[in-house]
Amino acid sequence: MELSPTTQKYILHWGEMGTRWGVNRTVAQIHALLFLANEALTAEDIAASLNVARSNVSNSLKELQSWGLVRITHVLKDRRDHFVALQDVWAIFRVIMEERKRREIDPTLTVLRECAIEGEQDAAIAPETLARMGEVLAFLEMLSSTYSDYKNLPPATLQHMLSMGGKVAKFLSPEDKPGKPNKPGNA
């Protein structure tokens, strides 16, 4: 597959961003290539297009499949596996958010909950330290709960909510407007 200069730039940048998000560069580049491709690609096509080793492509495709971002498809009269990426930006966002929550937030919440329980019995821990641990736990539980509330909303609803941006804050907490002290009765 011949890549235009703009497509190359997009794929290279996606790889750079992937490394900043903790994703292997090649994995991110393959995801970008498959997302932009107008047809299913074989591993050989991917290796040739990105000039990476076939073994690296295989491992990267397995990683993308484990995330649910890429799937195998078959082409008539071709015994090789072909690969396609999710094309819906909202579906991609949901998959990535769900996987990151499952892989990162959920295990952290488990440990923080254990620490909260154990901390109550730990005479060597200062009350202020335990309180800070509790604040982090409460914050992550709130984020997790909020994510659970929003994850099944239709994309149009999410898009509308996101487009509203900070306008919602004006209705929820008028006393928190810039330049005004945060006092009761300051509406």
Side-chain angles (χ1 to χ4, degrees):
M1 177 177 169
E2 189 67 30
L3 303 177
S4 75
T6 304
T7 303
Q8 289 177 22
K9 181 178 181 179
Y10 187 100
I11 291 169
L12 288 172
H13 182 71
W14 201 251
E16 290 299 317
M17 290 310 301
T19 62
R20 291 183 178 103
W21 297 330
V23 176
N24 174 287
R25 180 187 324 273
T26 305
V27 171
Q29 288 177 344
I30 290 171
H31 180 250
L33 174 65
L34 290 171
F35 175 72
L36 296 176
N38 293 320
E39 58 189 18
L41 300 177
T42 65
E44 293 79 15
D45 296 332
I46 295 166
S49 295
L50 298 179
N51 195 28
V52 294
R54 175 67 171 76
S55 60
N56 196 352
V57 170
S58 292
N59 290 331
S60 297
L61 286 168
K62 287 177 187 171
E63 177 71 15
L64 288 165
Q65 289 172 348
S66 78
W67 278 75
L69 293 170
V70 167
R71 66 178 174 79
I72 295 174
T73 189
H74 295 99
V75 175
L76 194 62
K77 298 183 182 179
D78 190 343
R79 295 178 55 190
R80 299 175 297 174
D81 289 338
H82 291 68
F83 298 89
V84 293
L86 285 176
Q87 297 295 304
D88 182 292
V89 174
W90 288 98
I92 294 168
F93 176 74
R94 284 179 194 269
V95 166
I96 290 171
M97 291 300 297
E98 185 64 34
E99 281 299 308
R100 291 207 80 126
K101 180 185 176 300
R102 185 179 67 78
R103 295 174 186 219
E104 299 166 24
I105 301 297
D106 292 348
T108 300
L109 278 170
T110 298
V111 172
L112 291 177
R113 288 176 183 130
E114 290 170 359
C115 288
I117 292 167
E118 293 167 9
E120 293 293 331
Q121 310 304 316
D122 188 347
I125 194 167
E128 299 84 10
T129 302
L130 190 59
R132 284 192 299 275
M133 288 179 175
E135 288 173 16
V136 173
L137 174 59
F139 177 76
L140 286 178
E141 284 180 331
M142 180 185 63
L143 286 179
S144 181
S145 175
T146 301
Y147 170 73
S148 295
D149 291 342
Y150 292 131
K151 75 179 182 180
N152 294 319
L153 291 176
T157 302
L158 286 172
Q159 189 172 7
H160 187 67
M161 288 173 60
L162 290 173
S163 69
M164 290 171 54
K167 297 171 192 164
V168 172
K170 291 177 185 176
F171 295 109
L172 297 178
S173 58
E175 67 274 357
D176 290 336
K177 290 182 182 174
K180 289 190 177 184
N182 193 1
K183 300 190 274 190
N186 210 12

